[in-house]
Amino acid sequence: RYMKRQVACRGDIDSLNAPMLAIYESLIPAEEEMAKQKQLLALLEKIVCKEWPEARLYLYGSCANSFGFSKSDIDVCLTIADADTNKSEVLLKLADLLQLENLQNVQALTRARVPIVKLMDPVTGISGDICINNVLAVVNTKLLRDYACIDVRLRQLAFIVKHWAKSRGVNETYQGTLSSYAYVLMCIHFLQQRRPAILPCLQGMKTTYCVNVDNIECAYFDQVENLFGFGSHNGESIAQLIWGFFSYWAYCHDYANDVISVRTGTILSKRTKDWTRRIGNDRHLICIEDPFELSHDLGRVVDKYSIRVLREEFERAAEIMQYDPNPCVKLFEPY
Ligand code: CTP
Ligand code: MG
């Protein structure tokens, strides 16, 4: 069994609360940015519904899950019946319509893993991607947003972790490091595991929201306004949690055997998931179970080289949080 290294955090850890919160505040998008995103969505809805009256548009990803930074692009999902057989055709048609309405930089990427149309709106200056029938992403976006309503420390921790990951170059799935979505799941799981817990396990509670997407039942307790104050028995500060998060991934996580699971709020074993060996390109060197698509390991992009990069970055961050005189600068130093 992996040796868990227990260390006490530095005595002056709470002096880092105010500067960490200042960084968090500086990354939050302003109200008018959100208004512009809504405005662009309304424009896109008008264009799409002229051609396909039954179609619907949904925001997903960081513009809708409450983990988005200021100045991010928007992710939009177009739902339309029967598009699955001819997605490329729909995307090409959509690209034509957008171009006719004077959207800029319109580009249909029909061969991407997730086929999309890219666009830029000259009026609001916002760029975005539109994908088709990616309803699971819309639903997992809602799950993340609902978790964020329960305790503000989730949003604070995830902003700091995402900012760290972007600064250190470990938020690039095409280079074998993790997606923002994976980092947010890691934060949720970490807060579910605190004692007392700071977040509950919504999928383990009474079902108040249930949709069936591509034969996957997505069910959980979504009346999160009733859970406000859930984490108040735990008084850990944001600086303590940032320190704890990096220490966990640097020294405590059992990479050989463990799978983190937001769905169950627990750690599962790779054996029970049958994630013990490499199949094709899936290596399972760090295992993060998708909350709905249970066969999906968000860590599958990580290879034997990038796992070293990731673990060294977790260790660097943990050491900085423990010993550095100026962690709020050092942690986010460009690599
Ligand atoms: N997503 C997913 N499965 C993945 C990666 C992403 O379902 N393996 C979906 C999620 O709904 C996620 C969205 O795609 O919210 C966008 O993913 P990502 O770009 O990783 O997250 P963002 O929150 O948009 O972060 P960023 O601010 O870095 O753009
Ligand atoms: Mg995104």
Side-chain angles (χ1 to χ4, degrees):
R1 198 71 196 162
Y2 197 80
M3 287 301 292
K4 303 208 169 183
R5 183 170 133 183
Q6 295 289 344
V7 272
C9 69
R10 64 202 282 166
D12 64 345
I13 187 83
D14 281 330
S15 68
L16 302 177
N17 284 325
M20 286 294 185
L21 287 177
I23 293 171
Y24 159 72
E25 301 280 348
S26 73
L27 296 167
I28 294 179
E31 284 296 326
E32 56 262 32
E33 252 183 81
M34 321 275 272
K36 280 185 181 172
Q37 294 180 345
K38 295 256 160 63
Q39 185 189 333
L40 174 54
L41 185 69
L43 170 71
L44 296 174
E45 263 165 351
K46 214 180 78 199
I47 297 170
V48 162
C49 286
K50 247 192 263 169
E51 179 73 22
W52 299 289
E54 266 87 75
R56 289 287 168 273
L57 289 181
Y58 298 91
L59 289 177
Y60 73 99
S62 62
C63 59
N65 65 17
S66 74
F67 298 100
F69 291 179
S70 171
K71 316 241 153 45
S72 357
D73 299 350
I74 66 170
D75 294 306
V76 183
C77 169
L78 168 71
T79 62
I80 177 169
D82 306 325
D84 295 321
T85 44
N86 55 357
K87 242 182 208 173
S88 302
E89 244 170 76
V90 174
L91 283 169
L92 292 169
K93 177 79 204 165
L94 179 61
D96 283 344
L97 297 171
L98 296 172
Q99 228 144 15
L100 286 171
E101 300 281 343
N102 288 322
L103 287 144
Q104 307 291 301
N105 307 350
V106 176
Q107 214 184 341
L109 306 181
T110 54
R111 287 161 181 222
R113 195 180 55 82
V114 180
I116 51 167
V117 176
K118 292 185 141 319
L119 61 96
M120 200 279 283
D121 173 28
V123 179
T124 57
I126 297 176
S127 298
D129 297 343
I130 306 179
C131 67
I132 296 176
N133 291 351
N134 192 1
V135 181
L136 218 40
V138 176
V139 176
N140 67 37
T141 292
K142 173 175 158 59
L143 180 72
L144 266 47
R145 185 176 61 237
D146 285 337
Y147 269 113
C149 293
I150 300 170
D151 196 294
V152 69
R153 288 172 289 185
L154 169 60
R155 197 168 178 227
Q156 294 167 344
L157 176 65
F159 264 59
I160 295 295
V161 169
K162 272 181 66 175
H163 181 42
W164 160 83
K166 287 175 192 291
S167 308
R168 300 300 302 167
V170 288
N171 179 212
E172 310 283 1
T173 47
Y174 68 92
Q175 288 180 352
T177 55
L178 298 170
S179 65
S180 296
Y181 177 59
Y183 283 114
V184 175
L185 291 173
M186 289 157 80
C187 292
I188 294 172
H189 184 261
F190 176 73
L191 297 181
Q192 286 176 328
Q193 293 280 301
R194 304 312 291 164
R195 292 294 172 263
I198 293 178
L199 289 178
C201 171
L202 294 177
Q203 289 169 277
M205 298 168 63
K206 188 180 79 173
T207 298
T208 57
Y209 169 84
C210 184
V211 287
N212 197 294
V213 184
D214 313 329
N215 291 321
I216 297 175
E217 185 183 89
C218 306
Y220 68 94
F221 183 79
D222 78 333
Q223 295 175 1
V224 283
E225 57 285 355
N226 299 334
L227 294 172
F228 194 71
F230 177 92
S232 59
H233 297 293
N234 182 315
E236 285 178 292
S237 69
I238 187 61
Q240 287 168 14
L241 293 170
I242 296 166
W243 170 87
F245 179 87
F246 288 122
S247 306
Y248 173 76
W249 286 99
Y251 310 123
C252 304
H253 182 71
D254 182 350
Y255 287 80
N257 297 298
D258 288 353
V259 176
I260 66 154
S261 163
V262 164
R263 170 182 62 102
T264 59
T266 63
I267 286 174
L268 306 175
S269 79
K270 287 194 194 180
R271 221 167 348 94
T272 61
K273 298 283 306 183
D274 201 19
W275 283 354
T276 47
R277 64 219 133 79
R278 173 175 170 180
I279 297 177
N281 265 334
D282 292 9
R283 293 175 177 85
H284 308 299
L285 301 175
I286 174 173
C287 295
I288 303 154
E289 182 193 57
D290 186 87
F292 299 122
E293 225 181 324
L294 304 190
S295 63
H296 187 178
D297 175 7
L298 275 315
R300 71 181 175 189
V301 291
V302 178
D303 59 36
K304 69 174 196 273
Y305 170 74
S306 60
I307 188 68
R308 274 187 48 195
V309 174
L310 260 179
R311 293 187 63 170
E312 278 167 22
E313 284 296 330
F314 286 132
E315 283 169 32
R316 174 187 179 275
E319 302 241 315
I320 288 171
M321 287 304 292
Q322 183 76 346
Y323 301 112
D324 198 88
N326 201 356
C328 296
V329 174
K330 202 62 186 269
L331 198 59
F332 310 106
E333 228 161 52
Y335 60 104

